[in-house]
Amino acid sequence: MPGYYDISDILMEDEAVSVVFHVGANGVGLLDPGTETNSVEKGAKIDLPFWLAHELCRRRAVSITIPSCFGQKMKKDVQADAACVDLGTRYPYFYEFGCKLFPLVGDKSIGPFLRHTFANRYKEMLSKSHTASLNAIPKFVLRLSKEEYQLFEAARSSMVEFKKWRVRDLGLMKTTIVGHKRKTDLH
Amino acid sequence: MYARRAAQLLQELSSCEEGQLPPYNGDKFDQVIRECEEHSRQFQSLIRDKDIETKNEDHYGSFIHHLSIIRNKRCLMAYMYKRAEVIQSYRWNVGRVLPREIQDKLNFSEQEYFKDYCGVIDSYMKDLDLDLTVDMVPPKDPYIRVRVLSEIGEVSLGDHAVSLTKDSFHFLRRTDAEPFISQVLLHSIILMLNFECVIIF
């Protein structure tokens, strides 16, 4: 569970969601760029950061509309080819955001949708991460969300460690071979 | 407003590599604090003389300001906490004295924090009589090859005695050799490759 000091959790909660206010609110006119008075009207549709929307929704002051990343178009894209969907640039906190949004919105299909997306993307990511070279960043890495990127890094670093482990004894073998040559100059 | 700037501060911090710090952004930090004061003023003006129980527009407006202050506080705390963690790691990875380019990235209180942290570690190590910053990774081999720099004579190590004459090579257990290495009487040879070259010549 993310802690109070967890930076990626804090940044994830900064994602914008569209909400509809059930009540008015005074003194917060800056939230709604279209308002003349320093307040938000009942029934206004505004984009709020998720941390604010989450608390207000818990107290039934707003209701959250499902953002586009879990909408119909996204579902069609995932159905077509899950691995090609670009989560890295558009929705880097796709999975965590979905998990937090799920209890607040009435849509029960978000959970299975997240699992389905992850399962389809995982297969390709698994094979590519074990064969990826250390220096070049393959293009598909840019399409990964933050959580998938951590898995990718873990796989890559474990492959590097494995390769190091395989050649660890070769160092000694090289020494004995070099030792038989005559060295004429010694620095 | 509404914690945008605080999120930018954290973006700056998270975009750096692991174990590195960006320079301390004092301006943005102060801006976030001023934002909090502004939220607090608005909160006070909305909450004045109002009955806490009625949930009218003023109540929700003040609630939003209150949440913004909490959020800004969380961002600033996370910023300081992450920087403090990296500063602590500097003591273990870099050492007691920080190079110039790292020192320029810290503000005054962070430099003081580093000095105090070093002091705490040093007093702890003095109590234990152990230097904990050596051997951060456990060494692979329990034995090392050493060359004697100055005459020591007969030394009894465990069950056998070794004659440590000047410029002689020995294959000792690491724990036996360490007290002599710390007094600069022995010089450990890590690369076996060099050793082989010397012998053949």
Side-chain angles (χ1 to χ4, degrees):
Chain A
M1 282 302 294
Y4 184 76
Y5 294 117
D6 189 353
I7 291 189
S8 64
D9 186 48
I10 296 178
L11 288 174
M12 185 274 288
E13 291 201 332
D14 215 32
E15 296 263 338
V17 283
S18 175
V19 302
V20 176
F21 269 75
H22 291 314
V23 295
N26 277 346
V28 288
L30 278 173
L31 283 177
D32 188 3
T35 184
E36 295 106 28
T37 61
N38 190 20
S39 56
V40 171
E41 300 296 317
K42 186 166 161 178
K45 237 197 231 173
I46 299 177
D47 285 337
L48 290 184
F50 180 70
W51 53 271
L52 195 52
H54 172 67
E55 289 296 324
L56 290 174
C57 194
R58 268 181 54 202
R59 284 162 180 76
R60 311 236 189 284
V62 301
S63 64
I64 299 184
T65 44
I66 299 179
S68 59
C69 54
F70 303 112
Q72 282 302 100
K73 182 170 181 308
M74 192 64 171
K75 286 186 176 157
K76 285 212 182 82
D77 286 344
V78 165
Q79 283 257 305
D81 188 358
C84 284
V85 176
D86 189 359
L87 292 184
T89 41
R90 282 156 67 193
Y91 315 111
Y93 296 104
F94 187 71
Y95 298 106
E96 281 174 6
F97 188 43
C99 291
K100 289 224 165 148
L101 193 65
F102 173 60
L104 299 174
V105 176
D107 190 0
K108 296 245 184 289
S109 69
I110 290 184
F113 172 57
L114 286 179
R115 210 178 66 215
H116 171 78
T117 317
F118 184 67
N120 284 346
R121 288 167 71 88
Y122 186 65
K123 203 173 73 169
E124 184 181 321
M125 191 180 75
L126 190 64
S127 59
K128 286 220 177 117
S129 61
H130 281 97
T131 52
S133 74
L134 193 57
N135 299 322
I137 300 182
K139 282 203 208 69
F140 91 103
V141 169
L142 302 167
R143 292 201 292 260
L144 298 178
S145 74
K146 286 265 178 325
E147 305 91 346
E148 289 170 342
Y149 184 71
Q150 278 171 358
L151 289 175
F152 170 78
E153 276 299 307
R156 194 153 78 165
S157 64
S158 71
M159 279 311 284
V160 166
E161 291 294 317
F162 175 65
K163 286 189 179 125
K164 262 202 272 188
W165 175 83
R166 272 174 58 191
V167 300
R168 76 198 185 295
D169 283 330
L170 287 180
L172 283 178
M173 277 157 58
K174 278 202 184 118
T175 307
T176 47
I177 290 169
V178 171
H180 288 312
K181 289 199 192 129
R182 277 194 64 89
K183 290 260 175 201
T184 45
D185 55 7
L186 188 70
H187 19 225
Chain B
M1 281 302 264
Y2 302 102
R4 282 285 130 93
R5 283 207 196 93
Q8 281 169 4
L9 254 189
L10 285 179
Q11 280 280 11
E12 210 180 274
L13 193 59
S14 71
S15 64
C16 250
E17 277 190 15
E18 192 62 45
Q20 305 281 343
L21 280 182
Y24 180 76
N25 199 337
D27 288 336
K28 232 185 209 139
F29 202 89
D30 291 335
Q31 279 174 7
V32 176
I33 294 185
R34 277 200 290 278
E35 240 183 68
C36 286
E37 285 164 7
E38 175 62 34
H39 279 297
S40 174
R41 267 198 294 277
Q42 301 254 3
F43 179 83
Q44 295 295 338
S45 71
L46 285 167
I47 212 73
R48 218 177 345 185
D49 300 329
K50 299 290 196 307
D51 185 10
I52 305 274
E53 292 306 315
T54 51
K55 293 208 182 329
N56 61 357
E57 280 100 30
D58 285 343
H59 168 88
Y60 286 108
S62 60
F63 184 57
I64 291 178
H65 284 296
H66 165 75
L67 286 176
S68 307
I69 296 178
I70 302 278
R71 170 78 177 174
N72 278 328
K73 173 184 166 190
R74 184 182 178 194
C75 293
L76 293 183
M77 296 277 283
Y79 184 70
M80 296 309 296
Y81 185 78
K82 178 80 181 153
R83 286 183 73 96
E85 266 187 348
V86 177
I87 291 173
Q88 284 177 13
S89 74
Y90 282 151
R91 171 67 184 91
W92 297 97
N93 299 331
V94 178
R96 235 178 244 122
V97 179
L98 295 176
R100 190 80 226 152
E101 56 265 10
I102 296 184
Q103 273 205 331
D104 288 339
K105 291 185 187 164
L106 308 180
N107 77 346
F108 177 69
S109 49
E110 284 173 345
Q111 288 170 359
E112 290 297 310
Y113 177 74
F114 180 75
K115 283 200 200 93
D116 292 340
Y117 185 72
C118 288
V120 166
I121 298 276
D122 288 342
S123 79
Y124 180 65
M125 292 199 295
K126 206 164 72 150
D127 282 344
L128 289 181
D129 208 13
L130 268 184
D131 189 356
L132 295 168
T133 55
V134 170
D135 284 345
M136 292 300 287
V137 177
K140 287 247 175 310
D141 208 341
Y143 289 92
I144 51 172
R145 195 172 288 275
V146 293
R147 180 176 137 236
V148 183
L149 292 176
S150 44
E151 179 71 38
I152 304 174
E154 280 281 321
V155 169
S156 136
L157 296 165
D159 51 344
H160 57 273
V162 182
S163 160
L164 296 173
T165 52
K166 188 169 186 323
D167 292 331
S168 62
F169 289 91
H170 298 277
F171 197 58
L172 298 178
R173 201 175 271 135
R174 191 176 277 262
T175 40
D176 294 335
E178 245 161 32
F180 295 107
I181 294 179
S182 67
Q183 297 169 45
V184 202
L185 298 171
L186 286 186
H187 171 63
S188 82
I189 297 183
I190 316 279
L191 290 173
M192 284 186 62
L193 188 58
N194 283 344
F195 179 80
E196 294 294 331
C197 291
V198 168
I199 287 295
I200 281 166
F201 186 81

